[in-house]
Amino acid sequence: VRPAVPAPGRAALHMAALSPAPLSSPDFIRLQAFLEYVVQSEPGCLTLFHAFLFVLILTGLLVQRTLLGDINDTERDTVVHAVQHLVFKNILFIFYVLNPETLSELMFWLGWLCGLSLLKGFCEFCNVRVAELSQASSLSTRSIR
């Protein structure tokens, strides 16, 4: 028994329905032109940067509240000091080493280094929290013995 072979017309229609739209479609070209305009214009670039920072801050707060709980004063001071030091170094690095020529390039580097600063803040927070928990656990095991 031979397996049924679909007609070539039906297979072509089926494959055409599953394949993505070509990159030369009019909608894609309009979207690409719009994104190029937004990135190259000053207000659009600033808007994208502020939107990125907003999403970054919300993500950081969400992770902090759900995974790490409340922050005490020692942890807050350590994180603020570490992030302020890193931001100062990042600003010097951007303006004296990279020396961006366009606003979009400046916003890209600022966004990238803001993301790294957020990760550095989480690292410092976790280091302080681990140190406090290990100190608390060593105190509690000594009092038991």
Side-chain angles (χ1 to χ4, degrees), residues 38-55:
V38 167
V39 169
Q40 291 175 357
S41 70
E42 185 174 331
C45 196
L46 290 173
T47 303
L48 284 176
F49 181 68
H50 283 100
F52 172 75
L53 285 180
F54 178 72
V55 169

Side-chain angles (χ1 to χ4, degrees), residues 83-100 106 109-110 113-114 117:
V83 170
Q84 283 178 348
H85 183 69
L86 187 65
V87 165
F88 180 70
K89 288 191 323 188
N90 287 344
I91 288 174
L92 291 176
F93 179 73
I94 288 173
F95 289 109
Y96 290 109
V97 176
L98 295 176
N99 197 11
L106 173 67
W109 283 113
L110 284 174
L113 294 172
C114 285
S117 298

Side-chain angles (χ1 to χ4, degrees), residues 103-115:
L103 182 64
S104 61
E105 188 179 351
L106 173 67
M107 292 300 146
F108 170 77
W109 283 113
L110 284 174
W112 173 254
L113 294 172
C114 285

